[in-house]
Amino acid sequence: MRPFDYAAPRTVEEALAQHADGAAYLAGGTSLVDLMKLDVARPHRVVDVNSLPLHGVTTDERGLHLSALERLGDLARHPAVADGHPVLRQALLASASPQLRNMATIGGNLLQRTRCGYFRDTAAACNKREPGSGCAARTGDNRGHAVLGAGPSCVATHPSDPAVALSALDALLELHGADGVREVPLNSFYRLPGETPQTETVLRPGELITRVTVPPLPGADRSVYVKVRDRRSYEFALVSAAVAVDLHDGEVRGVRIALGGVAPRPWRAHAAEQALTGREFTRANALEAAAAAADGAEPLSGNAFKIELVRRTVGHALTRLGGR
Amino acid sequence: MAKPLIGTATARVDGTAKVTGRADYAADRTEPGLAHGHLVLSTAGRGTLRSMDVTAAEAAEGVLAVYSPFNPLKLHRIKTTPDVCFVGQFWLPLQDQEIRHYGQIIGLVVAETFEQARHAASLIRAEYDLLPVRADFAGRIAHAVPPPVAINHEDPQVDLLAEEFGTVDEALAAGPVQVRATYTQPPEAPLALEPHACLASWSEGVLTLRVGSQSPVGGALAAAETLGIGLDQVRVLSPYVGGAFGGKLYIWPHPLLTAAAARELGRPVRTVLTQEQVFTTVGHRSAVSQTLALGAERDGTLVAVKHDAVSSLSLSGVIYETAAHTTSRYTYKSPSLHVGQRIVPLDSPPTTWVRAPGEAPGAFALESAMDELATELALDPVELRMRNYATVFPGRGVRWSGKHLDECYRVGAERFGWQPRTAPRPQPAEDSDQVWLTGTGMAGATYPGNLLPTTLANVRLRADGTATVATATSDPGTGMRTVLAMVCADDLGIPVERVEALVGDSALPLNYGAFASMGTSSSAGAVRSATTALKQRLLDLAAGDARSPFHGLAAEALAYRDGRVVGGGHSLTFAELLAATGLSELDSPGASAPGAERLRFAVHSFGAHFCELRVNRWTGEVRLDRWTSVIDGGTIINPRTARAQIVGGILFGIGQALLEGIRVEPDTGRFANGNLADYLVPVHADMPDFDIHFLDHPDTDFTPLGARGIGELGVVGTAAAIANAVHDATGRRVRDLPITVDKLL
Ligand SMILES: Cc1cc2nc3c(=O)[nH]c(=O)nc-3n(C[C@H](O)[C@H](O)[C@H](O)COP(=O)(O)OP(=O)(O)OC[C@H]3O[C@@H](n4cnc5c(N)ncnc54)[C@H](O)[C@@H]3O)c2cc1C
């Protein structure tokens, strides 16, 4: 870990002012400090945002508002989350471990870095960590890597579970920057790697996530998060699916299917959604939709199984929601 | 007479200290003037270290020294082998520029704080001249060679054939039913909760080395040989060891370098390894590939067993897995038997002993193959094992000192509710709503009963009514301290609270330590010998000392009972007798050693595992639900810590079956998942409900106490029981561990 300055502002404005080039915000620290110890993150200054007034969960006609510093554990226990958003609650509870959930914030969770072993090892080639150095994962150990949305420069996945649920729920992110406040849909927040895998989001330098809003959404209460992993707990997803179905008289009026563990960002399976929309919610239709969930997937040397696993995970999720 | 402690579930005597943080592990200590070491590891897998730029590191704040092959710490070459000098590898770092494996030690930075040392280490740049790395185990199996030394005093290939056959293949062919398959498993790491850490300090030429070790005496031997000092100039302290599993049996280079640095700097130095560093600087279990063929009559009687194993052997180490010799060699009765072992030398970090070395992979293959044969024959797997039950050690003609494996099967099946099966379980219809497929599986377990070479102990009575028992073994979480205190308390007839057990110090009476499941049998035997002698000394004192109320009576007329000397109408506690005779304490040594039992008997512990699990039809996830193990380990001194040992062993096997495996990059030798985030071990949520039952058959042909080892037995057969249950549930036979979801889709 490199020596760094430390600042602990008390307001959003102070925080923005203290964030200079090469600085990093510190929330729960469960991702940032880990990467600093590995010498992967090398901030000159750490701006601790824990004293900012970014706490609380509220609801109004625009939906459910989660302040950025809310801890994953608290959110999972919050009645406003539990009521009506099973997919989010399940995704929160499937994240990390109870101890980590007591530290990890929702803002930090959305911005945690990939678990790619080459990104985390300073001796390895990694375009995300060191642009232009190459991608060791393409030909290396890539069992856990992306089959969708990746490119020649980078095949890393985004590791967050809550982000996948929030993608299915069409959540909005409130961002505070030097130029003021803006709101960005989570589904346009993350960028695909392209030629610049080091830039993972549309967040501008110094911009803070202050709030996550889950808009009212028909079907949010008929939702589920299925996370498939090698170990039963305390492990990232091989494949996960957040699915919400808006059902009317046995017919699917709308369905949202987001995938985790398979792409550089939470991945909406639009082809599968379309395949099911307007159709009867039967097992056969659900499976037909699930079969389209991995459309466009391209396997690497070690992860072809993920394509079949995506279909099965989505099939499992849909049948759990009643697609019989 | 007080209720005997032996056989009574007893809480760990050091439990409170452990859960309240008062147990001082090697990294917990600090000392005045303490400096901190941090290792620098190679990022190349084979070749020569051309240069190292240490300028920035040396200039960094707080740095005291940067040692490297270009500025070495002198260590003496190892002239002996690991079993003699207890160093886990042939060569020692910083003594030359050769790169022998990825992640080897190429430097040690010492600084005022841990953070400064780690930061400075990250500033070092190394340049290499590379050579092709030989790290691809699977790709090199074709080039496997016989190992250079005997295995359990036998040749690398053993053929015990029925008279009419010239080769085992002929014998196999004579069986109307045959199964044959190859079973593989990746290398595994002996991960422990306590990080590998050490603290070295010198005072007047004498080294005190605190290091978590299964063998403080071995540590002292290693330090003396490599640092060029006498055995009287080193003391190794391992009062608490937070898990070891073989990985802390030998001393690895970091404590030796740390001691050398402390000597050079004239300051105590502590080095704590990161978990990533542990993966490559501490040994691991070989990768193993095994081919097993069984030939049988239609009734299940085996006519031939052929088991050939190939294991990786690090070119830096000397230990490898001996899978066939340690399982198929003796497990079943078969008129023809062949076991073979070959090795694949690799440019890898050292391979070493890991819990149930040989038996863990060997039993996975053998007990899976037996299940395959049972399926083939439509015979219940328990019944198949009973039809091939061995009562005599094949080829040696001796019986076992105690073998109740048949009872393990029977009691286990009863407790578990095992349904004998003769046909595959029906699978649900394709469009069924059923999510989980249930399956059950079983396997047997064996582990040899051994004794350490000469083991000494000392027991001391004190005038305050307490006693101490001391021996240089270690308690790496096994419960050794508690067991020694129990044996001592039982023999002396006093409560266990009045006995202090001293372990984890090379200066205590000679004891090679806790490994190969022989620590308890050996150490407890030495304690019993000491207490027996001590009681006699006490009676002699009572009869012979003029100040004793018993003076004048013959020692033979006195008896020692429940902590008291009685006779001639007198009864005194030993404390009172010591006080009366003006002594503050009285002690006696004791010893145990292997004897002729090794020639007269085969000695093994046995067990049978039964498990039930579910496999998710959609995702292939495996969930273990319940587990029954019945264990034949002779006398169980402390059922409480014994249960923990068995459960811990099964946990190890669950890791082997479902999660663990080092993924080695074939071209670089880099461990792609060599860290605790990516190398998965079981967590609590992976645990089934355990029903652990011990049979009560003291093995007095083995030792007077009748206890055999159980530390490793739980691992053995566990992976096979799981693979067999997965097969029962899904109809799929997975022969390549770990059984991950991708193999069940
Ligand atoms: C062992 C382990 C297992 C885990 N398992 C899972 C899992 O299964 N599922 C899962 O989803 N996650 C998992 N995680 C990740 C964990 O959930 C994240 O590390 C955590 O949510 C990050 O939140 P934090 O508050 O600690 O972020 P920090 O580490 O403080 O910050 C993370 C990043 O976000 C930035 N940041 C933080 N807050 C803000 C903000 N408000 N505005 C702008 N930038 C900000 C920081 O600068 C930093 O770059 C695991 C982590 C560990 C260590």
Side-chain angles (χ1 to χ4, degrees), chain A residues 24-34 49 54 68-69 71-72 94-97 100 103-113 115 159-162 203 207-210 227 229 234-237:
Chain A
Y25 290 126
L26 174 86
T30 60
S31 176
L32 180 67
V33 176
D34 188 20
V49 297
L54 300 176
L69 287 174
R71 314 277 155 175
L72 304 189
S95 303
S97 65
L100 280 158
M103 284 301 287
T105 64
I106 187 68
N109 183 275
L110 301 179
L111 290 172
Q112 64 175 300
R113 308 299 302 275
R115 303 300 301 190
S160 165
D161 291 301
L203 203 66
E207 217 169 10
L208 263 175
I209 300 180
T210 47
K227 178 175 179 179
R229 41 183 157 177
Y234 197 30
E235 169 60 345
F236 293 89

Side-chain angles (χ1 to χ4, degrees), chain B residues 139-333:
Chain B
R140 302 185 81 84
I141 286 180
H143 308 294
V145 294
V149 290
I151 304 165
N152 297 341
H153 311 293
E154 291 191 313
D155 288 337
Q157 181 168 322
V158 176
D159 285 279
L160 298 169
L161 302 178
E163 272 175 19
E164 59 269 39
F165 302 115
T167 66
V168 71
D169 290 324
E170 287 171 31
L172 279 169
V177 182
Q178 291 153 29
V179 294
R180 180 195 164 85
T182 296
Y183 303 85
T184 54
Q185 65 176 64
E188 291 172 355
L191 294 180
L193 198 55
E194 181 202 13
H196 282 254
C198 62
L199 193 163
S201 52
W202 293 81
S203 169
E204 291 166 20
V206 175
L207 168 67
T208 302
L209 184 60
R210 294 183 167 271
V211 58
S213 172
Q214 289 166 257
S215 177
V217 168
L221 291 168
E225 177 156 351
T226 57
L227 295 163
I229 54 177
L231 259 179
D232 55 346
Q233 288 170 286
V234 54
R235 183 169 177 198
V236 170
L237 296 175
S238 315
Y240 291 95
V241 183
F245 315 118
K248 293 175 184 165
L249 172 52
Y250 294 151
I251 287 288
W252 301 100
H254 62 275
L256 307 174
L257 288 173
T258 303
R263 178 162 62 182
E264 215 161 278
L265 294 168
R267 289 176 64 168
V269 179
R270 178 167 86 193
T271 303
V272 181
L273 271 56
T274 66
Q275 287 289 1
E276 289 88 333
Q277 292 175 337
V278 170
F279 273 87
T280 61
T281 63
V282 163
H284 62 273
R285 191 197 298 277
S286 307
V288 191
S289 170
Q290 309 172 66
T291 302
L292 230 143
L294 301 175
E297 303 287 359
R298 296 227 171 270
D299 67 0
T301 316
L302 288 169
V303 299
V305 174
K306 181 186 184 191
H307 186 168
D308 284 298
V310 183
S311 307
S312 63
L313 168 63
S314 160
L315 286 158
S316 295
V318 281
I319 307 301
Y320 60 89
E321 296 285 313
T322 56
H325 283 68
T326 39
T327 49
S328 297
R329 172 66 186 82
Y330 59 81
T331 301
Y332 294 106
K333 183 175 72 186

